[in-house]
Amino acid sequence: MNALEFARHVRGRRQAIGYWVVLDDPIATERLARLGYDYVVVDAQHGMLGSTGIRNAMLAIDAGATSAAVVRVEQNDPFAIGRVLDAGATGIIVPLVDTAEDATAAVRATRYPPEGRRSYGPMRSELRVGPDPAEANESALVLAMIETPEGLANVTEICATPGLDGIYVGPADLRLAVGGATASDPAVDDAFEAALTKIAEAAANAGIAAGIHTPSGEVAAHRLAQGYTYATVSCDLVHLEQAAKAHLSAARGER
């Protein structure tokens, strides 16, 4: 799918499955992008990539020719958002969205005037999206993260933001937001699941996409069946460690 096709796919609440990249290794990212995931997210917030690494990761994803390149920007900032869009990101995930005003600011950062305040300088992106501002506006996918107590409280208003294409749950922060002592605290399972239901319903009522990060393909399938429309599976660093640990245990004859 090209950028516009992918944006329309997600906006149409059709299911999509993605992968998450935090390592600055374009060769590994290219291989991951050839596996058939609908999208690959490059993490500019918590990942180990600088601006050059983010650009190289998107080049690697595009070389795979099967996955859309999405970037989680480091913050809700017009410069940060414009920079990754100019570099060729198909969509952005914006962290720490607490209010509808935050969501509106994110949307405006992806749109050229008069709809928004994106500065014109598409650079690499014009090779994939086209230099026409109207086409670029329509192709830019904007996803707001719901991961804070404020974001959860305001999720209905956030989902109603004009131009917002979807929301994305950060489960670790959301578990902390509902009172967890740690990012995996089982003591708040009930509150966490209730929050996930509330978020999915708010998105469905607003007619926008609902996404979530998951630790495995099995959990991703569960969340998609639950009503989420797109789900991301774990990340490269976690899977590298898991695979290496499993092989070490097998070599030692451990169970």
Side-chain angles (χ1 to χ4, degrees), residues 6-223:
F6 178 68
R8 289 173 173 170
H9 182 94
V10 175
R11 287 175 187 142
R13 291 180 53 83
R14 294 192 289 276
Q15 288 191 352
I17 300 170
Y19 196 76
W20 199 268
V21 167
V22 302
L23 296 176
D24 188 355
D25 189 336
I27 297 173
T29 299
E30 182 180 8
R31 293 180 73 93
L32 292 166
R34 296 175 67 88
L35 295 177
Y37 285 94
D38 297 302
Y39 62 93
V40 174
V41 180
V42 181
D43 189 356
Q45 183 189 23
H46 293 305
M48 305 294 105
L49 307 96
S51 59
T52 300
I54 294 165
R55 180 203 64 198
N56 289 344
M58 285 192 284
L59 286 167
I61 293 166
D62 290 345
T66 63
S67 302
V70 178
V71 175
R72 175 165 73 171
V73 295
E74 56 265 48
Q75 59 184 324
N76 191 358
D77 173 78
F79 175 80
I81 292 170
R83 187 178 184 89
V84 300
L85 290 177
D86 288 348
T90 297
I92 59 162
I93 298 173
V94 183
L96 302 172
V97 173
D98 292 333
T99 65
E101 290 76 17
D102 290 344
T104 297
V107 171
R108 284 180 52 78
T110 68
R111 304 293 195 263
Y112 290 116
E115 288 82 8
R117 56 178 310 206
R118 179 181 175 186
S119 177
Y120 190 83
M123 299 305 162
R124 175 177 178 259
S125 66
E126 70 178 354
L127 302 176
R128 303 176 60 250
V129 178
D132 182 69
E135 181 185 349
N137 286 352
E138 187 180 0
S139 299
L141 191 72
V142 190
L143 309 169
M145 292 197 74
I146 305 297
E147 54 185 344
T148 65
E150 295 82 4
L152 180 60
N154 295 320
V155 67
T156 299
E157 293 78 10
I158 291 170
C159 288
T161 301
L164 185 69
D165 298 307
I167 51 167
Y168 189 78
V169 174
D173 281 312
L174 184 65
R175 191 172 286 270
L176 295 176
V178 298
T182 68
S184 59
D185 187 358
V188 296
D189 278 352
D190 290 344
F192 178 72
E193 291 297 329
L196 292 186
T197 298
K198 176 181 179 180
I199 293 167
E201 289 178 349
N205 291 337
I208 65 172
I212 185 169
H213 196 91
T214 67
S216 67
E218 291 78 11
V219 176
H222 171 67
R223 296 306 181 194

